[in-house]
Amino acid sequence: MKKLKDILTNIELLHPAENPDMDVVSIEFDSRKCKPGSLFVAVKGTRVDGHDFISQAVSLGALLIVCEKLPSEEYKKVNFFQVSNSAKALGQLASNFYDNPSSDLKLIGVTGTNGKTTIVNLLFEIVRKLGYKAGLLSTIENKIEDDVIGSTHTTPDPVQINQLMDRMVIEGCEYCFMEVSSHSIDQERIAGLEFDGAIFTNITHDHLDYHKTFDAYIKAKKKFFDDLPEFAFALTNIDDKNGIQMLQNTIGKKYTYALKKPASFKAKIIENQFDGLCLKIDNNELWSKLIGEFNAYNILAVYAAMILSGENREEVLTALSSLNIVEGRFDFIRSASNITGIIDYAHTPDAVKKVLETINAIRTRNETLITVVGAGGDRDSAKRAPMGKIAAQLSDKLIITSDNPRTEDPGSIIKQIEAGVEPMFTAKYLAIPDRKDAIKTACMLAKSNDIILVAGKGHEKYQEINGVKHPFDDKEILKEYLAITGMAKDLN
């Protein structure tokens, strides 16, 4: 419970607050969760407008309402606080309610199209190896030390974020690492948080169903850096052609990382094999179990973030060398007959391109590369044809299948992917709508030493069809069918 006057700190009200000594028992933006003493924030969402549910919030006991427009109906004993942006106010209110927990943590956010999950997970693991307690907010899961809390969004809502960070502070965490999606930036879900560092990985075609234009997508990422405090570090991948934009208006301390251009932090790939990477960073050779150029960028970003956080260089390099592959990110198994199966979350044209280029750079070309790929329903449809084109170009055999069709017809999604396959490659692909059958077919086609890539779902343990999440695990299914020719070995 908090006093209203404490919760309204730094909130820009259009009118002065009345009754500032009132008690507030909770901050809610879902009217159904309101109870006597709740403060309800009416937020305009992408599908519904919280202003339409003010009466429900009041009926359940909310006596304090934060909103952008005042209702025409009069409510006795209800206090209204008008703001220009209720979504932004929600983040600030939630932060104040939980005593601004982000200010008691070293909070580092990672944004970009690809690499966010890997980087935050590696950062979480590395600081724990260095002896710190830490928290994690990611696509795969949220964590407070060893306690795992389920994750449904890349970035949780502002109330969840502050609840989790409050628990982190109570349990003695010093660091928190957070994936920061473009949706969360645009929707002000990170408003009120005090970041100590921000990392930009890269930006490629994705989420245009939401942002509509690539320029709007870039601006959403950039806003994260524009809003950083002066003491925070702003770290960007300068090899990405849009990386420098992230630093243009930030008042944070500016740093860059790269493999190819001059930068604050540089690395060079010495070896790149299925067994791992050998990198040279700051004249030190580092061996990592992670694979591929994209992971070289991830490792370098992690190294730079740790150095900028004041950690010891030698200890960081030692800890980096012992880190394991992140679940569903170039996660692989090998059968007794030496068939390599790779599971990767790649679900954008650029991510598919990078994982296939990585495989092709390592393989001997004496084996067949079989790719299983699909595209999610009710999401950016413009990326489907490019994914089909890239997968066909860079694979020896291609199986196009379903990947969370949601409310769309799987056959229609598959046809849009097929449209990208160039005529000279049509003989190399099959369309198999059932994802399990597609993986089974790939295993049946594979011979000793061949490689199977199953792309799109990675860590996910479900297949979403018409609003229902059915149990589905790419890695377990791949293991099941590879075991027909011998026991599959998990190499992680």
Side-chain angles (χ1 to χ4, degrees):
M1 186 180 294
K2 290 283 189 301
K3 293 292 183 184
L4 175 62
K5 61 185 177 183
D6 296 325
I7 297 171
L8 293 178
T9 302
N10 297 322
I11 305 296
E12 295 181 9
L13 301 176
L14 299 184
H15 308 287
E18 296 180 7
N19 303 323
D21 289 319
M22 288 184 68
D23 290 325
V24 178
V25 301
S26 70
I27 304 289
E28 308 292 351
F29 64 96
D30 182 340
S31 59
R32 296 168 296 183
K33 294 181 179 179
C34 286
K35 51 185 175 286
S38 291
L39 184 153
F40 174 67
V41 186
V43 177
K44 292 180 182 177
T46 54
R47 296 182 180 176
V48 296
D49 187 345
H51 292 78
D52 297 333
F53 299 91
I54 289 174
S55 60
Q56 183 182 33
V58 172
S59 71
L60 291 173
L63 296 178
L64 302 160
I65 309 293
V66 172
C67 56
E68 293 178 15
K69 56 182 181 181
L70 297 172
S72 54
E73 184 180 350
E74 287 189 17
Y75 295 92
K76 293 181 180 179
K77 298 182 180 179
V78 177
N79 290 268
F80 285 88
F81 306 99
Q82 193 175 12
V83 295
S84 58
N85 186 332
S86 55
K88 184 175 182 179
L90 173 61
Q92 295 169 326
L93 288 163
S95 185
N96 289 340
F97 185 82
Y98 287 99
D99 295 324
N100 302 293
S102 63
S103 64
D104 293 322
L105 297 162
K106 278 191 178 180
L107 176 60
I108 297 174
V110 184
T111 195
T113 307
N114 302 309
K116 296 187 298 294
T117 302
T118 297
I119 290 172
V120 295
N121 275 273
L122 294 178
L123 284 166
F124 175 77
E125 293 299 334
I126 200 170
V127 296
R128 296 187 74 201
K129 287 180 182 294
L130 293 175
Y132 298 100
K133 289 185 176 182
L136 170 72
L137 302 176
S138 80
T139 301
I140 297 178
E141 59 195 4
N142 301 315
K143 283 184 177 180
I144 301 173
E145 282 289 280
D146 293 320
D147 187 11
V148 177
I149 302 103
S151 177
T152 57
H153 294 80
T154 302
T155 311
D157 67 63
V159 177
Q160 286 178 312
I161 290 171
N162 283 282
Q163 284 175 338
L164 289 167
M165 288 188 182
D166 185 46
R167 279 186 57 192
M168 291 175 195
V169 172
I170 291 169
E171 295 186 28
C173 293
E174 295 179 61
Y175 276 98
C176 175
F177 304 106
M178 179 179 181
E179 285 190 54
V180 180
S181 69
S182 57
H183 291 69
S184 71
I185 299 166
D186 187 63
Q187 295 167 10
E188 299 284 4
R189 274 185 260 157
I190 59 171
L193 299 182
E194 188 177 283
F195 284 90
D196 292 275
I199 302 170
F200 171 77
T201 62
N202 51 64
I203 192 162
T204 61
H205 188 118
D206 199 14
H207 301 307
L208 298 195
D209 54 321
Y210 177 86
H211 294 288
K212 306 306 179 189
T213 67
F214 192 63
D215 184 55
Y217 182 35
I218 293 172
K219 285 179 178 176
K221 300 287 189 189
K222 185 177 178 299
K223 184 179 183 298
F224 177 38
F225 287 81
D226 292 348
D227 294 343
L228 286 175
E230 193 172 0
F231 60 79
F233 68 78
L235 175 66
T236 190
N237 175 6
I238 199 69
D239 282 343
D240 185 282
K241 64 181 180 181
N242 294 296
I244 196 64
Q245 288 192 48
M246 302 300 136
L247 303 183
Q248 285 175 351
N249 299 317
T250 186
I251 61 171
K253 299 171 184 175
K254 303 176 184 181
Y255 300 92
T256 58
Y257 69 100
L259 299 182
K260 299 167 185 175
K261 294 180 180 176
S264 311
F265 296 91
K266 281 276 292 182
K268 181 181 179 182
I269 297 175
I270 308 300
E271 290 183 46
N272 184 17
Q273 306 170 1
F274 279 129
D275 292 329
L277 275 170
C278 182
L279 298 175
K280 180 170 275 191
I281 303 177
D282 284 350
N283 294 317
N284 292 287
E285 284 198 7
L286 166 72
W287 179 261
S288 170
K289 296 175 186 177
L290 279 70
I291 303 157
E293 184 183 79
F294 59 93
N295 271 322
Y297 281 105
N298 294 335
I299 292 165
L300 182 57
V302 170
Y303 171 81
M306 287 290 89
I307 300 305
L308 293 173
S309 298
E311 301 303 333
N312 178 272
R313 192 179 308 272
E314 286 71 28
E315 290 179 2
V316 170
L317 288 166
T318 300
L320 271 172
S321 66
S322 65
L323 295 175
N324 289 316
I325 294 167
V326 176
E327 183 185 12
R329 270 65 177 177
F330 215 97
D331 192 354
F332 68 105
I333 57 177
R334 192 169 290 147
S335 75
S337 59
N338 211 36
I339 296 170
T340 299
I342 299 169
I343 302 91
D344 195 87
Y345 190 54
H347 60 281
T348 66
D350 184 66
V352 171
K353 182 171 184 281
K354 283 178 177 173
V355 72
L356 285 170
E357 284 180 342
T358 295
I359 295 168
N360 282 320
I362 298 171
R363 59 186 284 214
T364 65
R365 301 284 176 168
N366 293 320
E367 66 287 286
T368 299
L369 170 56
I370 305 167
T371 298
V372 179
V373 71
D378 302 334
R379 297 293 186 270
D380 184 2
S381 61
K383 67 183 180 182
R384 294 171 185 171
M387 285 173 68
K389 179 179 180 179
I390 290 164
Q393 285 176 340
L394 299 177
S395 309
D396 297 315
K397 293 179 182 176
L398 171 65
I399 301 174
I400 300 172
T401 189
S402 294
D403 179 352
N404 292 335
R406 299 184 176 88
T407 64
E408 281 195 72
D409 171 31
S412 175
I413 297 172
I414 287 170
K415 279 183 168 45
Q416 291 178 55
I417 300 171
E418 288 180 294
V421 179
E422 295 170 290
M424 74 278 282
F425 298 129
T426 53
K428 71 161 67 171
Y429 87 88
L430 300 169
I432 303 176
D434 185 283
R435 191 173 180 90
K436 189 170 184 178
D437 285 345
I439 295 171
K440 179 181 179 181
T441 301
C443 293
M444 291 173 67
L445 291 171
K447 299 180 179 63
S448 181
N449 298 318
D450 285 351
I451 302 164
I452 301 170
L453 168 67
V454 182
K457 295 181 63 59
H459 65 281
E460 292 179 349
K461 302 293 190 291
Y462 62 84
Q463 178 84 315
E464 187 175 345
I465 304 169
N466 291 321
V468 179
K469 290 185 176 181
H470 303 270
F472 198 99
D473 188 326
D474 281 354
K475 187 172 182 178
E476 290 306 311
I477 292 167
L478 194 56
K479 280 183 177 181
E480 176 188 343
Y481 288 121
L482 284 181
I484 293 171
T485 55
M487 288 300 293
K489 300 172 185 176
D490 196 326
L491 300 182
N492 296 330

